[in-house]
Amino acid sequence: ITNHRDSMSIMSSLSMYAINFTKLRRDPDKGWPTSTLGKSPYKPLLLLAVLDQFEQGQITQNLIELTPDLGNLFDLYCAVVLPPGMVCNIAMPFFHMQGEGFWQLVPLPGKEAFVTSGRRLTSESQLANNVAGARLDDELFVLLIVKESRDILRAALIEAHFDETTRPLLWQRYATNQDAFVYSNELLTQARRQLKELQLPDAETGFTREARDQGFRRAVVVAYNHRCACCGLRIVTPGGHTAVEAAHIVPWHKTRNDHPTNGLALCRLCHWSFDEGLMSVAASYRVILSLQLTSHGNMPGLLSTLAGREIWLPQEDVLHPDPTHLDWRNDNIFRKV
C-alpha cells in the first residue's frame, strides 16, 4: 500500500510540474520568430539545458550553478530557434525563472539582503557577483534525477513552446549534446589511460560528425582550462562564453584523430594564424612564427611578441600535445618562409 501511495504521489508531482512547464510565462512582444510561437524562448531553453546537465550527471545536488557548460548548452539550444547572430543572455531566464514558483535564487554569503530586495539581476556579472545558483523545489529535483521523468518534462517543454518544424530539431540537439558529452569524456578518460589510439566508434557506427566536433572541442578546452596555449589569453564570461576554440594539430581529415594530444586550445586570432600556417608550435613546446607574418606590409602586433615563448600546457602531462603531431604540422602546413 505504501509503495502504491508513493507511486501515486510521484505521478501527481510529475503531472503538476509538466503542467507548470507548459505554462511558463514568456515575453509576448513582437519580434520573436514563429519557431518560438511568437514568444520569448529563453525560459524553456534554459530548462532544456538544465535537463541535459542532469542527464550528463553534472548536477548531483540541488543547486543549479551558472557554469561554462550550462552556458554553452543554453547557447546551443538558442542557435536552434533564433536567427544567426542574435545574442542570448542566460541571466534573463536565470533571474526571471523565480516567478514560476519552483526556482529560487541562492544568494552568496553576505548578499542575502541584496538578492531578496527585489532588484533585477539581469546581467551575467550581476548574477555571478551575488548568486551562488538556483535551487529547485525538492520534489522537482527528485524527479529530475530519474530519466523517465526528465523525458516527460522535456517533451512538455518542447511541445508547448515551439512549432512543429522546430520540435524535431530540439530533440536532435538534445541527442547531439548527450553524445558529445559522452565522446568528450571518453577522449579524456582514454587519454589519461595513456592510450595513443582511442578505442572509439567511427562516424558510421557511432557518433555523428557534429557530436564529435562538439566533444573534441569540450575535451580540449577543458584540458587547457579555457586558456590559449600560444598567447595565454583566458577570458570566460559568467554566462560561459569562452575566448578559446579547439584546433587539431594534424587535421582530422588526414587521420580522423580526435585524441586530446592532437589538439590545442587557441584564441580566435591564434587559431586563424595556426590554420593559415603563420604560427605553429615546435616539438619543444615553443611558439614559432612564419616570416610571412612580417612581410608584405603586415603588422602582426601581439603575435610578433610570441616567438620562442613556451606555450601554456594542460596540468596533466598525458594531455600535452604529441611532439610527433607537432613535427608533422611543421613539415606539412607551417610556412617556414
Side-chain angles (χ1 to χ4, degrees), residues 9-196:
S9 176
I10 292 171
M11 292 304 297
S12 176
S13 294
L14 180 57
S15 177
M16 179 187 72
Y17 284 114
I19 293 172
N20 288 346
F21 276 23
T22 64
K23 295 184 176 180
L24 297 174
R25 283 173 281 186
R26 302 195 291 146
D27 176 14
D29 287 350
K30 294 180 180 179
W32 296 112
T34 56
S35 60
T36 70
L37 305 180
K39 295 182 180 181
S40 169
Y42 294 139
K43 283 183 181 178
L45 294 181
L46 174 57
L47 289 172
L48 289 174
V50 168
L51 289 172
D52 281 6
Q53 286 207 304
F54 272 95
E55 192 91 6
Q56 296 165 4
Q58 295 199 73
I59 299 177
T60 57
Q61 59 180 341
N62 194 353
L63 183 67
I64 313 301
E65 298 179 273
L66 199 58
T67 63
D69 274 335
L70 179 62
N72 182 58
L73 290 169
F74 177 71
D75 286 346
L76 289 169
Y77 277 115
C78 284
V80 174
V81 303
L82 296 176
M86 187 170 180
V87 178
C88 297
N89 177 9
I90 194 174
M92 296 290 285
F94 205 97
F95 174 79
H96 287 296
M97 198 80 75
Q98 294 177 101
E100 303 300 336
F102 54 78
W103 179 286
Q104 302 86 38
L105 294 183
V106 178
L108 287 168
K111 299 293 185 177
E112 293 83 0
F114 185 85
V115 172
T116 58
S117 67
R119 180 171 176 175
R120 290 161 58 94
L121 305 176
T122 52
S123 77
E124 295 171 359
S125 294
Q126 286 177 321
L127 279 178
N129 292 334
N130 295 282
V131 172
R135 180 181 175 84
L136 303 172
D137 284 355
D138 288 336
E139 287 179 304
L140 178 56
F141 176 74
V142 170
L143 288 171
L144 294 185
I145 295 174
V146 181
K147 177 173 174 52
E148 290 76 12
S149 300
R150 288 195 301 270
D151 289 345
I152 290 171
L153 293 172
R154 183 179 292 107
L157 288 168
I158 292 175
E159 293 295 317
H161 302 295
F162 303 96
D163 70 4
E164 293 183 0
T165 302
T166 307
R167 291 168 194 164
L169 301 179
L170 289 169
W171 282 107
Q172 183 57 52
R173 178 75 268 161
Y174 152 66
T176 299
N177 288 346
Q178 303 320 306
D179 284 350
F181 183 79
V182 171
Y183 190 69
S184 172
N185 281 355
E186 283 295 317
L187 292 176
L188 291 170
T189 297
Q190 294 196 38
R192 286 164 180 147
R193 293 175 185 165
Q194 301 188 48
L195 299 176
K196 290 295 184 182

Side-chain angles (χ1 to χ4, degrees), residues 3 8 22 120 128 176 180 189 201 217 249 254 306 311 318 327:
N3 288 339
M8 291 296 290
T22 64
R120 290 161 58 94
T176 299
T189 297
R217 177 187 180 279
I249 299 171
K254 293 287 185 182
L306 303 180
I311 67 170
V318 293
D327 283 338

